[in-house]
Amino acid sequence: MTVIRRLFCPQIPRVLYRSRGQASADALELVLSFGVMILLGSLLGYLIVSTPSQVPLFLSVATPLFLLAFFRMDIALAFVIAAMLLSPEIGVGSIPKREVTIRIEDLLIVVLGMAWFARSAVMKGSALIPRTAVNRLVGVYCACFLVSTLRGMITDHVNPVKGAFFVLKYLEYFILFYVAVGTIVRRQQYKVYLTVFFLTLIVVNIYAYTQIGFGRVSAPFEGVEGEPNTLGGYQVLMMSVALGLFCHLKSWKLRWLMAGIVLFTVPPFLYTLSRASYMAFIPAYLSLIVFHRGRQKAVLIGALVAAVVVGIFFIPVQVRQRVDYTFQPQYQAGLPAAEVFGVKLDPSASARMQDWQQVFEAWKKAPFFGYGVTGQRFLDGMYLKNLAELGMVGFLA
């Protein structure tokens, strides 16, 4: 029992295990362990016969994960990293133009958050919210979308269930942030988590390669239609991390490994046909060039020139057509082609421009606190979406 305790809960202070003797302490732990298992087994058995199958299934997974997170949060965090792109969606309902889905990692983050609260209450010296430079700003922003959403519920602009659900989804980001800040304290942990990140990227890319030639590629478990833009954004983020490490790592082997990961990611990235992701990669790459002071700046510039030259002759036809389509206006009933700097846009881009204009007009009627989370239509554009839902106060926060 002592060996198990030292292996799985090295952070727990010795004060929790004080007793008259080590033998009596081990005996007490054994009795308590059996008691907990009996209670959990009885509860699970009752739920199996009295509730839908999803509830006991979730508890069967959540209970051991909770215990793992409580004793070894560092290991549980690695599971969440892998689950971000390798976990299925579960649809739980919808409102107009806004489907409500949860993923397995949403459930994992909830369990991790509960374990984090429990650890903070039990373990001496474990802070619930670690001190960081952004704590006050996070608090102000969270207060903004809580106040705006409650106001939207009172004015009947927000469905209470859906609004609360999406507010909890937003809070997940901050829960995960503070769990990570409080857990990652050693240099070796960074190496382990980066390894998990890149292994997950490789698996996702392999899956994406199998879809090339059958339409737009997407990440695993993204439903029938898939979410190519989600995959494209994820690939931009991971390629940026890999390129940043390429510029700063001392080992040439690791540098070229990072370069290889980027090259391996490029083909499925192109076949996402995600124009927003293409646009996002440009400032990401240019930022690496501008802010890097080492010898790798010349390598980055050379790679950019080579990519442009190769792209002129070998860029996939689907990618070229996708980009050209943006500037090929087509008549669509009830939707005139939008025009930017004298250039007319395709129906998809025109529809987004029209949505932006309508939401901006709606925002003028609630300029300070907006309509609350989910209080306006679904919008492809985070800044205007934030402005409409949270108003100017939330937008500035």
Side-chain angles (χ1 to χ4, degrees):
M1 188 65 69
T2 303
V3 173
I4 294 175
R5 184 178 66 235
R6 290 178 178 175
L7 179 62
F8 288 100
C9 44
Q11 302 94 339
I12 295 182
R14 294 290 299 173
V15 69
L16 295 180
Y17 299 97
R18 285 180 183 171
S19 65
R20 293 182 179 179
Q22 188 61 48
S24 59
D26 288 344
L28 178 61
E29 288 178 1
L30 188 61
V31 171
L32 290 175
S33 299
F34 275 113
V36 170
M37 285 190 290
I38 291 172
L39 288 174
L40 290 176
S42 302
L43 177 62
L44 186 59
Y46 171 76
L47 291 173
I48 288 174
V49 299
S50 61
T51 60
S53 59
Q54 293 89 339
V55 175
L57 179 62
F58 168 69
L59 289 176
S60 299
V61 176
T63 301
L65 180 65
F66 176 87
L67 295 174
L68 175 65
F70 182 83
F71 294 118
R72 291 301 301 269
M73 183 65 75
D74 52 341
I75 297 177
L77 199 56
F79 279 104
V80 174
I81 293 173
M84 289 293 184
L85 267 290
L86 297 176
S87 64
E89 288 183 345
I90 304 172
V92 296
S94 62
I95 54 179
K97 291 191 176 183
R98 188 188 288 255
E99 185 179 0
V100 179
T101 60
I102 58 176
R103 296 178 65 99
I104 296 300
E105 87 263 9
D106 294 318
L107 303 178
L108 294 181
I109 293 172
V110 171
V111 173
L112 257 65
M114 294 171 62
W116 183 256
F117 281 112
R119 282 168 57 94
S120 302
V122 171
M123 295 185 181
K124 184 179 179 181
S126 180
L128 176 62
I129 300 179
R131 292 184 179 180
T132 72
V134 297
N135 281 13
R136 291 183 180 179
L137 301 176
V138 169
V140 170
Y141 184 61
C142 289
C144 287
F145 62 70
L146 288 172
V147 169
S148 294
T149 304
L150 287 172
R151 180 177 178 275
M153 292 177 183
I154 294 172
T155 58
D156 205 29
H157 286 104
V158 174
N159 180 304
V161 175
K162 303 303 187 297
F165 180 84
F166 274 91
V167 166
L168 290 174
K169 292 266 288 185
Y170 288 2
L171 285 172
E172 280 183 10
Y173 295 104
F174 303 116
I175 292 173
L176 190 58
F177 169 70
Y178 285 115
V179 169
V181 169
T183 302
I184 305 174
V185 294
R186 299 187 304 274
R187 184 181 183 88
Q188 185 62 31
Q189 289 176 292
Y190 288 99
K191 298 178 181 179
V192 172
Y193 291 137
L194 283 171
T195 301
V196 176
F197 267 118
F198 287 122
L199 287 175
T200 303
L201 173 65
I202 291 171
V203 172
V204 171
N205 282 339
I206 291 173
Y207 177 83
Y209 270 102
T210 65
Q211 300 178 74
I212 293 178
F214 299 95
R216 299 177 66 182
V217 304
S218 180
F221 309 113
E222 289 287 355
V224 178
E225 297 182 0
E227 292 287 347
N229 293 329
T230 300
L231 176 59
Y234 168 72
Q235 289 171 323
V236 169
L237 173 63
M238 293 309 300
M239 285 192 291
S240 300
V241 173
L243 287 169
L245 292 172
F246 172 81
C247 292
H248 292 282
L249 288 172
K250 296 180 180 179
S251 170
W252 277 101
K253 290 183 180 180
L254 291 177
R255 281 182 176 177
W256 291 116
L257 175 62
M258 294 297 104
I261 289 175
V262 172
L263 292 175
F264 183 67
T265 306
V266 168
F269 171 68
L270 293 176
Y271 279 99
T272 61
L273 303 182
S274 171
R275 294 170 294 186
S277 301
Y278 298 162
M279 293 176 63
F281 185 74
I282 295 172
Y285 195 90
L286 293 179
S287 297
L288 287 167
I289 295 176
V290 170
F291 292 107
H292 188 60
R293 299 287 188 268
R295 292 175 294 179
Q296 278 65 46
K297 175 178 285 193
V299 177
L300 292 173
I301 295 174
L304 177 61
V305 173
V308 171
V309 173
V310 172
I312 293 174
F313 298 99
F314 298 103
I315 191 169
V317 176
Q318 297 95 320
V319 176
R320 192 187 303 274
Q321 291 175 344
R322 179 67 173 172
V323 175
D324 291 342
Y325 176 77
T326 307
F327 308 103
Q328 295 175 358
Q330 302 174 29
Y331 175 76
Q332 185 171 336
L335 181 64
E339 190 172 321
V340 178
F341 300 116
V343 179
K344 292 186 177 181
L345 304 178
D346 69 279
S348 175
S350 298
R352 291 182 182 183
M353 295 286 290
Q354 186 181 63
D355 286 344
W356 294 351
Q357 292 173 356
Q358 292 176 356
V359 168
F360 186 76
E361 292 299 321
W363 165 75
K364 293 180 180 178
K365 300 177 182 179
F368 297 107
F369 295 100
Y371 295 89
V373 176
T374 72
Q376 276 292 305
R377 66 171 68 191
F378 176 79
L379 197 65
D380 276 328
M382 186 61 194
Y383 295 112
L384 276 175
K385 176 175 176 292
N386 190 286
L387 183 65
E389 293 185 342
L390 307 184
M392 184 57 68
V393 175
F395 181 81
L396 292 176

